[in-house]
Amino acid sequence: MTRIAIYPGSFDPVTRGHEDIIRRSRHFADRVIVAVAVNPGKDPLFTLSERTEFLRVAVGDEAGVEIRAFDGLLAKFAEKVDATLVVRGLRAVSDFEYEFQMALMNRTLYEALETVFLVPDVGLTFLSSSLVKEVARFGGDVGMFVHPTVRAALAEKFAR
Ligand code: ADP
């Protein structure tokens, strides 16, 4: 049996924290589908094709990792791609409440779907896409937190 996991998010943009979670997921999933939200609730800085392309550059070469865009209900997308696991990253207690509700809702909508929470490398726990954008916006160096392609894209975006 092939165990398929989906790792959904906005990835606006992908950070080393996301990359770490993707690699860890491969320890228990044969395939990990990184599912990029077409219309994330938040107004994204990068377009869907930019967010997808950055993921491709950062993790696209990893065995068993696929990058797909998704729209609408995660539970439906999971069923369509035969995934039985949802991977989410937990950084702090503040992530927990929303994640807990989502996990239960997703399983209510699609019974076979279990959510697995992973914690990243301890040095990446403070990292979020929004914090990276904030640092880049004010000219800080985000080279330690993102792939060089993402770093360059952020620099270009905030060059003005
Ligand atoms: P969303 O908009 O759904 O929160 P994100 O792209 O911000 O999507 O994050 C996708 C997933 O990755 C979420 O489960 C989030 O908690 C997790 N994540 C983000 N950054 C990190 C990090 N530094 N370490 C661990 N997990 C992370």
Short mmCIF file of all heavy atoms in Angstrom, two decimals, residues 56-107:
data_model
loop_
_atom_site.label_atom_id
_atom_site.label_comp_id
_atom_site.label_asym_id
_atom_site.label_seq_id
_atom_site.Cartn_x
_atom_site.Cartn_y
_atom_site.Cartn_z
N ARG A 56 9.16 24.30 -6.16
CA ARG A 56 9.80 23.40 -7.12
C ARG A 56 11.32 23.52 -7.02
O ARG A 56 12.04 22.52 -7.00
CB ARG A 56 9.32 23.78 -8.53
CG ARG A 56 9.11 22.60 -9.38
CD ARG A 56 8.24 22.86 -10.59
NE ARG A 56 6.91 22.34 -10.38
CZ ARG A 56 5.79 22.97 -10.70
NH1 ARG A 56 5.84 24.15 -11.26
NH2 ARG A 56 4.64 22.41 -10.47
N VAL A 57 11.78 24.75 -6.93
CA VAL A 57 13.23 24.98 -6.84
C VAL A 57 13.77 24.44 -5.51
O VAL A 57 14.83 23.83 -5.47
CB VAL A 57 13.52 26.50 -6.97
CG1 VAL A 57 14.97 26.80 -6.68
CG2 VAL A 57 13.14 27.00 -8.35
N ALA A 58 13.02 24.64 -4.44
CA ALA A 58 13.52 24.27 -3.10
C ALA A 58 13.45 22.77 -2.82
O ALA A 58 14.37 22.20 -2.24
CB ALA A 58 12.74 25.04 -2.03
N VAL A 59 12.36 22.12 -3.22
CA VAL A 59 12.19 20.70 -2.85
C VAL A 59 11.75 19.80 -4.01
O VAL A 59 11.54 18.60 -3.82
CB VAL A 59 11.15 20.52 -1.69
CG1 VAL A 59 11.67 21.09 -0.40
CG2 VAL A 59 9.80 21.12 -2.05
N GLY A 60 11.62 20.39 -5.20
CA GLY A 60 11.09 19.64 -6.35
C GLY A 60 11.93 18.44 -6.74
O GLY A 60 11.41 17.50 -7.36
N ASP A 61 13.20 18.45 -6.40
CA ASP A 61 14.07 17.34 -6.78
C ASP A 61 14.06 16.20 -5.77
O ASP A 61 14.66 15.14 -6.00
CB ASP A 61 15.53 17.82 -6.93
CG ASP A 61 15.70 18.64 -8.20
OD1 ASP A 61 14.84 18.52 -9.10
OD2 ASP A 61 16.69 19.40 -8.28
N GLU A 62 13.43 16.40 -4.64
CA GLU A 62 13.41 15.36 -3.60
C GLU A 62 12.55 14.19 -4.07
O GLU A 62 11.44 14.39 -4.58
CB GLU A 62 12.80 15.92 -2.31
CG GLU A 62 13.45 17.17 -1.82
CD GLU A 62 14.44 16.93 -0.70
OE1 GLU A 62 14.27 15.95 0.03
OE2 GLU A 62 15.36 17.74 -0.56
N ALA A 63 13.05 12.98 -3.85
CA ALA A 63 12.28 11.79 -4.24
C ALA A 63 10.97 11.74 -3.47
O ALA A 63 10.94 12.02 -2.27
CB ALA A 63 13.11 10.54 -3.96
N GLY A 64 9.91 11.40 -4.16
CA GLY A 64 8.62 11.23 -3.49
C GLY A 64 7.90 12.51 -3.15
O GLY A 64 6.87 12.47 -2.48
N VAL A 65 8.41 13.64 -3.60
CA VAL A 65 7.75 14.92 -3.30
C VAL A 65 7.15 15.50 -4.58
O VAL A 65 7.83 15.58 -5.61
CB VAL A 65 8.75 15.93 -2.69
CG1 VAL A 65 8.10 17.30 -2.49
CG2 VAL A 65 9.32 15.40 -1.38
N GLU A 66 5.87 15.85 -4.51
CA GLU A 66 5.18 16.46 -5.65
C GLU A 66 4.59 17.79 -5.22
O GLU A 66 4.17 17.92 -4.08
CB GLU A 66 3.96 15.61 -6.05
CG GLU A 66 4.24 14.45 -6.92
CD GLU A 66 3.00 13.54 -6.96
OE1 GLU A 66 1.91 14.03 -7.25
OE2 GLU A 66 3.17 12.35 -6.64
N ILE A 67 4.52 18.70 -6.14
CA ILE A 67 3.94 20.01 -5.82
C ILE A 67 2.70 20.21 -6.69
O ILE A 67 2.79 20.09 -7.91
CB ILE A 67 4.97 21.13 -6.03
CG1 ILE A 67 6.12 20.92 -5.04
CG2 ILE A 67 4.37 22.51 -5.83
CD1 ILE A 67 7.46 20.99 -5.62
N ARG A 68 1.57 20.46 -6.04
CA ARG A 68 0.31 20.65 -6.77
C ARG A 68 -0.42 21.86 -6.22
O ARG A 68 -0.34 22.15 -5.03
CB ARG A 68 -0.61 19.43 -6.58
CG ARG A 68 -0.03 18.10 -6.94
CD ARG A 68 -0.49 17.59 -8.28
NE ARG A 68 -1.93 17.47 -8.42
CZ ARG A 68 -2.57 16.31 -8.44
NH1 ARG A 68 -1.92 15.18 -8.27
NH2 ARG A 68 -3.89 16.27 -8.62
N ALA A 69 -1.17 22.53 -7.07
CA ALA A 69 -2.03 23.62 -6.60
C ALA A 69 -3.37 23.01 -6.20
O ALA A 69 -3.77 22.00 -6.76
CB ALA A 69 -2.23 24.63 -7.72
N PHE A 70 -4.03 23.59 -5.21
CA PHE A 70 -5.37 23.10 -4.90
C PHE A 70 -6.28 24.24 -4.50
O PHE A 70 -5.87 25.25 -3.96
CB PHE A 70 -5.33 21.99 -3.83
CG PHE A 70 -5.51 22.49 -2.43
CD1 PHE A 70 -6.74 22.38 -1.79
CD2 PHE A 70 -4.46 23.06 -1.74
CE1 PHE A 70 -6.91 22.85 -0.49
CE2 PHE A 70 -4.63 23.53 -0.46
CZ PHE A 70 -5.86 23.42 0.17
N ASP A 71 -7.54 24.03 -4.82
CA ASP A 71 -8.57 25.04 -4.59
C ASP A 71 -9.71 24.35 -3.87
O ASP A 71 -9.95 23.18 -4.08
CB ASP A 71 -9.05 25.54 -5.97
CG ASP A 71 -9.54 26.97 -5.89
OD1 ASP A 71 -9.52 27.53 -4.79
OD2 ASP A 71 -9.92 27.50 -6.94
N GLY A 72 -10.41 25.06 -3.05
CA GLY A 72 -11.60 24.48 -2.42
C GLY A 72 -11.26 23.66 -1.19
O GLY A 72 -10.27 23.92 -0.51
N LEU A 73 -12.09 22.66 -0.94
CA LEU A 73 -11.96 21.89 0.30
C LEU A 73 -10.78 20.94 0.27
O LEU A 73 -10.64 20.13 -0.64
CB LEU A 73 -13.23 21.05 0.51
CG LEU A 73 -14.40 21.67 1.24
CD1 LEU A 73 -15.51 20.63 1.38
CD2 LEU A 73 -14.00 22.20 2.60
N LEU A 74 -9.99 21.00 1.34
CA LEU A 74 -8.83 20.10 1.44
C LEU A 74 -9.27 18.64 1.47
O LEU A 74 -8.64 17.78 0.86
CB LEU A 74 -8.01 20.45 2.69
CG LEU A 74 -6.75 19.63 2.86
CD1 LEU A 74 -5.73 19.97 1.79
CD2 LEU A 74 -6.16 19.84 4.24
N ALA A 75 -10.35 18.36 2.19
CA ALA A 75 -10.82 16.98 2.32
C ALA A 75 -11.15 16.39 0.95
O ALA A 75 -10.85 15.22 0.68
CB ALA A 75 -12.04 16.93 3.24
N LYS A 76 -11.74 17.19 0.09
CA LYS A 76 -12.09 16.70 -1.26
C LYS A 76 -10.84 16.46 -2.09
O LYS A 76 -10.73 15.48 -2.81
CB LYS A 76 -12.97 17.74 -1.98
CG LYS A 76 -14.41 17.63 -1.62
CD LYS A 76 -15.27 18.37 -2.64
CE LYS A 76 -16.73 18.30 -2.19
NZ LYS A 76 -17.51 19.41 -2.70
N PHE A 77 -9.90 17.39 -1.96
CA PHE A 77 -8.64 17.25 -2.70
C PHE A 77 -7.91 15.98 -2.23
O PHE A 77 -7.41 15.20 -3.05
CB PHE A 77 -7.76 18.49 -2.49
CG PHE A 77 -6.44 18.42 -3.21
CD1 PHE A 77 -6.38 18.58 -4.58
CD2 PHE A 77 -5.27 18.17 -2.50
CE1 PHE A 77 -5.15 18.51 -5.25
CE2 PHE A 77 -4.04 18.10 -3.16
CZ PHE A 77 -3.98 18.27 -4.53
N ALA A 78 -7.90 15.75 -0.93
CA ALA A 78 -7.24 14.56 -0.37
C ALA A 78 -7.85 13.29 -0.95
O ALA A 78 -7.13 12.37 -1.35
CB ALA A 78 -7.35 14.58 1.15
N GLU A 79 -9.16 13.26 -0.98
CA GLU A 79 -9.85 12.07 -1.49
C GLU A 79 -9.50 11.85 -2.96
O GLU A 79 -9.23 10.73 -3.39
CB GLU A 79 -11.35 12.25 -1.30
CG GLU A 79 -12.10 10.95 -1.32
CD GLU A 79 -13.53 11.07 -0.79
OE1 GLU A 79 -13.93 12.17 -0.33
OE2 GLU A 79 -14.23 10.05 -0.83
N LYS A 80 -9.46 12.95 -3.70
CA LYS A 80 -9.17 12.87 -5.14
C LYS A 80 -7.78 12.29 -5.40
O LYS A 80 -7.58 11.53 -6.35
CB LYS A 80 -9.30 14.27 -5.75
CG LYS A 80 -9.33 14.29 -7.26
CD LYS A 80 -9.58 15.67 -7.81
CE LYS A 80 -8.27 16.42 -7.99
NZ LYS A 80 -8.44 17.81 -8.41
N VAL A 81 -6.82 12.65 -4.56
CA VAL A 81 -5.44 12.19 -4.81
C VAL A 81 -5.09 10.95 -3.97
O VAL A 81 -3.92 10.56 -3.91
CB VAL A 81 -4.41 13.33 -4.57
CG1 VAL A 81 -4.64 14.50 -5.52
CG2 VAL A 81 -4.41 13.81 -3.12
N ASP A 82 -6.10 10.36 -3.31
CA ASP A 82 -5.91 9.13 -2.51
C ASP A 82 -5.02 9.34 -1.30
O ASP A 82 -4.33 8.41 -0.88
CB ASP A 82 -5.31 8.00 -3.37
CG ASP A 82 -6.34 7.40 -4.29
OD1 ASP A 82 -7.52 7.38 -3.91
OD2 ASP A 82 -5.94 6.96 -5.39
N ALA A 83 -5.00 10.54 -0.76
CA ALA A 83 -4.18 10.78 0.44
C ALA A 83 -4.98 10.42 1.69
O ALA A 83 -6.19 10.66 1.75
CB ALA A 83 -3.77 12.25 0.49
N THR A 84 -4.29 9.83 2.65
CA THR A 84 -4.96 9.49 3.91
C THR A 84 -4.33 10.25 5.08
O THR A 84 -4.74 10.09 6.22
CB THR A 84 -4.87 7.98 4.19
OG1 THR A 84 -3.51 7.58 4.08
CG2 THR A 84 -5.74 7.19 3.22
N LEU A 85 -3.32 11.03 4.79
CA LEU A 85 -2.64 11.80 5.83
C LEU A 85 -2.55 13.27 5.44
O LEU A 85 -2.25 13.58 4.29
CB LEU A 85 -1.21 11.28 6.04
CG LEU A 85 -1.04 9.85 6.54
CD1 LEU A 85 0.42 9.43 6.43
CD2 LEU A 85 -1.52 9.73 7.99
N VAL A 86 -2.79 14.12 6.42
CA VAL A 86 -2.53 15.54 6.24
C VAL A 86 -1.37 15.86 7.17
O VAL A 86 -1.39 15.48 8.34
CB VAL A 86 -3.73 16.42 6.66
CG1 VAL A 86 -3.37 17.91 6.55
CG2 VAL A 86 -4.94 16.13 5.79
N VAL A 87 -0.37 16.53 6.67
CA VAL A 87 0.76 16.93 7.50
C VAL A 87 0.64 18.42 7.80
O VAL A 87 0.36 19.22 6.90
CB VAL A 87 2.10 16.67 6.77
CG1 VAL A 87 3.27 17.24 7.57
CG2 VAL A 87 2.29 15.19 6.53
N ARG A 88 0.81 18.76 9.06
CA ARG A 88 0.84 20.18 9.44
C ARG A 88 2.01 20.37 10.39
O ARG A 88 2.40 19.46 11.13
CB ARG A 88 -0.47 20.59 10.12
CG ARG A 88 -1.68 20.56 9.21
CD ARG A 88 -1.69 21.65 8.15
NE ARG A 88 -2.00 22.96 8.71
CZ ARG A 88 -1.95 24.08 8.01
NH1 ARG A 88 -1.59 24.07 6.74
NH2 ARG A 88 -2.24 25.23 8.57
N GLY A 89 2.57 21.56 10.36
CA GLY A 89 3.69 21.86 11.26
C GLY A 89 3.18 22.58 12.49
O GLY A 89 2.28 23.41 12.39
N LEU A 90 3.73 22.25 13.63
CA LEU A 90 3.39 22.97 14.87
C LEU A 90 4.63 23.66 15.37
O LEU A 90 5.67 23.04 15.57
CB LEU A 90 2.89 22.00 15.94
CG LEU A 90 1.45 21.50 15.89
CD1 LEU A 90 1.15 20.67 17.12
CD2 LEU A 90 0.44 22.63 15.75
N ARG A 91 4.49 24.97 15.57
CA ARG A 91 5.65 25.72 16.06
C ARG A 91 5.47 26.11 17.52
O ARG A 91 6.38 26.04 18.31
CB ARG A 91 5.86 26.99 15.23
CG ARG A 91 6.37 26.69 13.85
CD ARG A 91 6.09 27.82 12.91
NE ARG A 91 4.67 27.93 12.67
CZ ARG A 91 4.12 28.75 11.79
NH1 ARG A 91 4.90 29.55 11.10
NH2 ARG A 91 2.83 28.78 11.59
N ALA A 92 4.27 26.55 17.84
CA ALA A 92 4.01 27.04 19.20
C ALA A 92 2.60 26.66 19.59
O ALA A 92 1.81 26.22 18.75
CB ALA A 92 4.17 28.55 19.22
N VAL A 93 2.29 26.83 20.85
CA VAL A 93 0.96 26.51 21.35
C VAL A 93 -0.10 27.30 20.57
O VAL A 93 -1.20 26.82 20.33
CB VAL A 93 0.86 26.82 22.86
CG1 VAL A 93 -0.51 26.47 23.40
CG2 VAL A 93 1.93 26.05 23.61
N SER A 94 0.28 28.49 20.14
CA SER A 94 -0.67 29.34 19.42
C SER A 94 -1.17 28.70 18.13
O SER A 94 -2.25 29.01 17.66
CB SER A 94 -0.04 30.70 19.13
OG SER A 94 1.20 30.52 18.50
N ASP A 95 -0.39 27.81 17.52
CA ASP A 95 -0.83 27.11 16.31
C ASP A 95 -1.92 26.09 16.64
O ASP A 95 -2.69 25.69 15.77
CB ASP A 95 0.33 26.31 15.67
CG ASP A 95 1.29 27.19 14.86
OD1 ASP A 95 0.87 28.29 14.44
OD2 ASP A 95 2.44 26.77 14.64
N PHE A 96 -1.95 25.64 17.89
CA PHE A 96 -2.68 24.42 18.22
C PHE A 96 -4.19 24.49 18.03
O PHE A 96 -4.80 23.60 17.43
CB PHE A 96 -2.35 23.96 19.64
CG PHE A 96 -3.06 22.69 20.02
CD1 PHE A 96 -2.61 21.46 19.57
CD2 PHE A 96 -4.21 22.74 20.80
CE1 PHE A 96 -3.29 20.30 19.88
CE2 PHE A 96 -4.89 21.57 21.12
CZ PHE A 96 -4.43 20.35 20.67
N GLU A 97 -4.82 25.55 18.53
CA GLU A 97 -6.27 25.58 18.57
C GLU A 97 -6.90 25.47 17.17
O GLU A 97 -7.79 24.65 16.94
CB GLU A 97 -6.75 26.86 19.27
CG GLU A 97 -8.19 26.74 19.70
CD GLU A 97 -8.60 27.88 20.63
OE1 GLU A 97 -7.72 28.45 21.30
OE2 GLU A 97 -9.80 28.17 20.65
N TYR A 98 -6.40 26.26 16.26
CA TYR A 98 -6.91 26.24 14.89
C TYR A 98 -6.63 24.89 14.23
O TYR A 98 -7.49 24.30 13.57
CB TYR A 98 -6.26 27.39 14.11
CG TYR A 98 -6.61 27.42 12.65
CD1 TYR A 98 -7.89 27.76 12.23
CD2 TYR A 98 -5.65 27.12 11.68
CE1 TYR A 98 -8.21 27.77 10.88
CE2 TYR A 98 -5.97 27.14 10.34
CZ TYR A 98 -7.24 27.47 9.94
OH TYR A 98 -7.55 27.48 8.60
N GLU A 99 -5.43 24.40 14.44
CA GLU A 99 -5.03 23.13 13.82
C GLU A 99 -5.89 21.97 14.33
O GLU A 99 -6.25 21.07 13.57
CB GLU A 99 -3.55 22.84 14.10
CG GLU A 99 -2.59 23.83 13.45
CD GLU A 99 -2.62 23.77 11.92
OE1 GLU A 99 -3.08 22.76 11.36
OE2 GLU A 99 -2.20 24.75 11.28
N PHE A 100 -6.21 22.00 15.60
CA PHE A 100 -7.02 20.97 16.23
C PHE A 100 -8.42 20.95 15.60
O PHE A 100 -8.94 19.89 15.22
CB PHE A 100 -7.08 21.27 17.74
CG PHE A 100 -7.82 20.27 18.55
CD1 PHE A 100 -7.27 19.01 18.79
CD2 PHE A 100 -9.05 20.58 19.11
CE1 PHE A 100 -7.96 18.08 19.56
CE2 PHE A 100 -9.73 19.66 19.89
CZ PHE A 100 -9.19 18.40 20.12
N GLN A 101 -9.00 22.13 15.42
CA GLN A 101 -10.32 22.24 14.81
C GLN A 101 -10.30 21.75 13.36
O GLN A 101 -11.18 21.02 12.91
CB GLN A 101 -10.80 23.69 14.81
CG GLN A 101 -11.17 24.19 16.18
CD GLN A 101 -11.57 25.67 16.15
OE1 GLN A 101 -11.17 26.41 15.25
NE2 GLN A 101 -12.34 26.09 17.13
N MET A 102 -9.27 22.16 12.64
CA MET A 102 -9.15 21.78 11.23
C MET A 102 -9.03 20.27 11.08
O MET A 102 -9.63 19.66 10.18
CB MET A 102 -7.90 22.42 10.62
CG MET A 102 -8.06 23.87 10.29
SD MET A 102 -9.19 24.09 8.93
CE MET A 102 -8.23 23.37 7.62
N ALA A 103 -8.22 19.66 11.96
CA ALA A 103 -7.99 18.22 11.88
C ALA A 103 -9.31 17.47 12.07
O ALA A 103 -9.63 16.53 11.33
CB ALA A 103 -6.98 17.80 12.94
N LEU A 104 -10.09 17.92 13.05
CA LEU A 104 -11.37 17.25 13.31
C LEU A 104 -12.37 17.50 12.18
O LEU A 104 -13.10 16.59 11.79
CB LEU A 104 -11.94 17.73 14.65
CG LEU A 104 -11.18 17.15 15.86
CD1 LEU A 104 -11.62 17.84 17.14
CD2 LEU A 104 -11.38 15.65 15.96
N MET A 105 -12.38 18.71 11.66
CA MET A 105 -13.29 19.01 10.55
C MET A 105 -12.91 18.18 9.32
O MET A 105 -13.78 17.58 8.68
CB MET A 105 -13.23 20.51 10.22
CG MET A 105 -14.14 20.92 9.08
SD MET A 105 -15.86 20.41 9.31
CE MET A 105 -16.48 21.76 10.31
N ASN A 106 -11.64 18.11 9.01
CA ASN A 106 -11.22 17.35 7.84
C ASN A 106 -11.58 15.87 7.96
O ASN A 106 -12.01 15.25 6.99
CB ASN A 106 -9.71 17.52 7.60
CG ASN A 106 -9.39 18.86 6.96
OD1 ASN A 106 -10.21 19.40 6.23
ND2 ASN A 106 -8.23 19.40 7.26
N ARG A 107 -11.44 15.33 9.16
CA ARG A 107 -11.77 13.91 9.34
C ARG A 107 -13.29 13.69 9.34
O ARG A 107 -13.75 12.61 8.97
CB ARG A 107 -11.13 13.38 10.63
CG ARG A 107 -11.05 11.87 10.62
CD ARG A 107 -10.24 11.33 11.77
NE ARG A 107 -10.74 11.83 13.04
CZ ARG A 107 -10.04 11.75 14.18
NH1 ARG A 107 -8.84 11.22 14.18
NH2 ARG A 107 -10.55 12.21 15.29
#
